[in-house]
Structure formats: C-alpha cells, structure tokens
Amino acid sequence: MKVIFAGTPEFAAVALQSLHEAGFEIPLVLTQPDRPAGRGMQLQPSAVKQYAVKHGIKVLQPLSLRTDSKDPQRAEEAKAAHQRLLSTPYDVMVVAAYGLILPRSTLDIKPCINIHGSLLPRWRGAAPIHRAIEAGDSETGITIMEMEEGLDTGPMLLIERIAIDDSDTTGSLHDKLAALGGKMIVEALGKMQHQQLEAVVQPEEGVNYAAKISKEEATLDFTQSAVEISRKIRAFNPFPGAHGSVNGTVIKLWGAEVLDGGSKSPAGTVLAADAQHGIVVACGTGSLRLTELQKPGGKRLPAAEFIKGFPLEGLSFA
C-alpha cells in the first residue's frame, strides 16, 4: 500500500515514523515550508521533514494547495503540487496536523484520512488538546476520520479513548496522543487493505470548535476560580505559557495545585511565599499553590527555589 503523508509538527512525525516502520511505502511527504526559529531565527525544517530527509523520503513543501489562490506565487506552487500528486502513484493520503487546507481538487484524487487529536465531534479545529484540558474534560482520544471539505466534519473510521489525568499538561497529553495516533493509523490502513473499515457519520450534537491558541489567552485572570486557572496553566504548558504579573514583571506559571478552602483577600493576593507553605495565591473562588515559576530571562524553577531570587510575600498577581 502506497501512502502519501501530509503533516508538519512532532505529532505528525510520530505517525510518519509508525507508518514507515510498519513497512508502508511512502513515495512522497507534504509538509509546510521551513520557518524561522530559535534565537538566531534561522530557517528550520519541520519535524516531519527532518524524519523524511533522514530516511530518504521525497519531500514537497508548497505554500498552498489551493490552485485558485489570489497570490500568484501560491497559485503556481499549488498547481505544481497538484501535478506532482497526480503523477505520483499512491493509494491513500494520510494527514496529521498538516496546517494547510486540502481543497476539493486534492481530496478527489485518492482517499484522504486524518489523524485527529480528540474524540469527534467534541473538539474540531486547531487546538483540541489544549481545549480539552482547559475545559476540564475527563477523557480524550484519537479519531481516525475520512477527510472532506468541512473542518473535521468527515465520517469516523476508528476511535480510541484515553483518560486525562489531573496532572496532564498539553505537553504530556500531546505525547500520549501522538503515540496512540501512530498505532491507530497503522491499524486503520491494515483494515482498509482488507475492506474492514466502517465509516460512521459524526453526530450533530456535542460539536465544539477548538480555536487556535493565542498568546493573549495566556494572561491569567485571578478573579476566576482556582480550578479554572489551574486548567489554563496546564493547558498552556508548554505553549504559550500561562502568566501573571507582579509589580509589572511578567512571571510564567508552569504548575499549580488547587487548595481546599478560600480566602477573604482580594484575588491575586499572595497569601504565603515561604518554605513551609510554598507560594499560595488567592483566586476568585478558592486558592492555588504555585509549584513551578519562571521570571523573564530565567529558568523554570520549583517554588522554593524561585522565591529565593524573587520574594513574593506581601505582593499580588495582576
């Protein structure tokens, strides 16, 4: 079975590796163009491209797949990519966090199936892992689905569930789902080869849109409940990093525990900042013990180490 793979970040690279190691022939990989990254803002290849190049798999990096783009360069690249797809023998396209819209012209060439990081239709869209944690979901999973022009609206082929632990961050849950997605796509293609996949239309109820995460969202509002703030801290770890400010200094918060009981102090007040109690902050409802923090230009530190260089007693988070 010949598989064209389309994906960009580490989540997708895990799936590509699974397919490659399972013995599927991969004549071509589509991934987004190299992007500036790091302190020097040097062009960096995607995780998918790095894996493909290392294993001698051909790579195509169009700016767009939409041949009707109003941008002449994008339209020309899309036309060239379309011709490349037409001239490359393959049986199915597997898509995982590609980041580009697949137009009808691409979807019509061969079957396209997607590895989606949620239990559809619970979270459609760009950030299903973040939004599941932020919303307090008790479980999530991977849905292998047929692709159509709608955003994550296609029929479901395989679903597998996993629990979201109270300690899970987007980083830890991402890694669990990436591994699960890699396992499931190999299983799905094996079943496809033997006509054993059954497509199930998504239910119309329970649809939510997992909007892309913005950096602005990471500014915490301590008038919210301790439970809500704790979820945001976990959801925005590792990106973009939840934060509050103390006397104008932005402090990133990487870990927190919800404490029983509340406080009559104004939301954001640092109730304790010592070795015995840790860093405890009043919230709109309840309070939080902050466990890992980071000041500008510094390292992520446990609370006990952080307050040695940045005393917080008597101060407040804005």
Side-chain angles (χ1 to χ4, degrees):
M1 197 173 194
K2 295 182 179 179
V3 180
I4 285 184
F5 186 86
T8 299
E10 184 62 31
F11 181 89
V14 172
L16 175 60
Q17 178 179 352
S18 296
L19 290 170
H20 184 247
E21 292 180 351
F24 288 96
E25 184 178 346
I26 305 170
L28 182 66
V29 158
L30 301 179
T31 191
Q32 288 210 40
D34 298 358
R35 306 291 189 196
R39 291 187 176 182
M41 295 303 286
Q42 299 293 317
L43 289 177
Q44 298 291 331
S46 71
V48 163
K49 181 180 178 179
Q50 291 179 50
Y51 184 89
V53 170
K54 181 178 179 180
H55 293 88
I57 304 171
K58 294 179 181 179
V59 176
L60 189 63
Q61 297 176 272
L63 289 168
S64 172
L65 291 173
R66 299 192 67 92
T67 57
D68 59 353
S69 173
K70 295 181 180 179
D71 183 320
Q73 181 182 356
R74 290 174 180 267
E76 284 303 311
E77 286 202 19
K79 291 176 183 177
H82 184 67
Q83 290 303 314
R84 181 74 174 273
L85 293 175
L86 290 174
S87 63
T88 301
Y90 70 102
D91 301 296
V92 62
M93 179 182 288
V94 171
V95 182
Y98 181 27
L100 293 183
I101 295 173
L102 269 60
R104 171 53 57 190
S105 58
T106 300
L107 297 173
D108 282 345
I109 299 174
K110 293 287 183 178
C112 296
I113 61 176
N114 179 243
I115 307 168
H116 186 72
S118 86
L119 301 173
L120 289 172
R122 171 61 175 157
W123 293 111
R124 295 174 179 172
I129 300 175
H130 299 78
R131 299 305 181 190
I133 293 176
E134 184 183 19
D137 290 3
S138 61
E139 65 175 5
T140 185
I142 291 289
T143 305
I144 307 294
M145 55 171 286
E146 292 181 5
M147 294 191 71
E148 54 185 33
E149 287 186 283
L151 179 64
D152 300 327
T153 58
M156 303 177 293
L157 302 171
L158 281 181
I159 295 179
E160 193 164 329
R161 301 169 182 272
I162 62 171
I164 300 178
D165 297 333
D166 290 341
S167 60
D168 269 325
T169 64
T170 287
S172 66
L173 192 55
H174 165 280
D175 293 348
K176 294 177 186 179
L177 290 174
L180 179 60
K183 177 185 77 72
M184 288 177 65
I185 192 60
V186 170
E187 178 185 353
L189 293 189
K191 289 186 174 184
M192 178 180 284
Q193 286 179 294
H194 297 94
Q195 289 82 46
Q196 294 175 342
L197 276 182
E198 180 183 355
V200 177
V201 176
Q202 292 187 37
E204 296 181 1
E205 296 182 354
V207 175
N208 293 278
Y209 178 62
K212 184 178 180 180
I213 302 297
S214 69
K215 291 184 178 180
E216 290 74 22
E217 289 181 82
T219 301
L220 295 175
D221 176 3
F222 282 88
T223 65
Q224 292 185 312
S225 72
V227 170
E228 289 175 297
I229 296 171
S230 173
R231 289 173 184 167
K232 287 181 182 292
I233 291 172
R234 292 163 49 218
F236 300 150
N237 180 354
F239 176 84
H243 59 265
S245 61
V246 175
N247 288 345
T249 300
V250 174
I251 298 176
K252 287 197 172 184
L253 309 178
W254 297 110
E257 300 169 354
V258 178
L259 300 180
D260 294 331
S263 168
K264 294 181 180 180
S265 300
T269 301
V270 178
L271 303 174
D274 54 55
Q276 180 181 357
H277 303 95
I279 301 172
V280 180
V281 182
C283 303
T285 304
S287 57
L288 280 178
R289 177 178 286 117
L290 305 180
T291 58
E292 188 176 15
L293 306 88
Q294 182 181 17
K295 64 183 180 181
K299 298 179 180 179
R300 293 168 58 154
L301 295 173
E305 293 297 316
F306 183 85
I307 56 179
K308 290 179 181 179
F310 200 110
L312 289 171
E313 193 168 359
L315 302 178
S316 295
F317 279 87

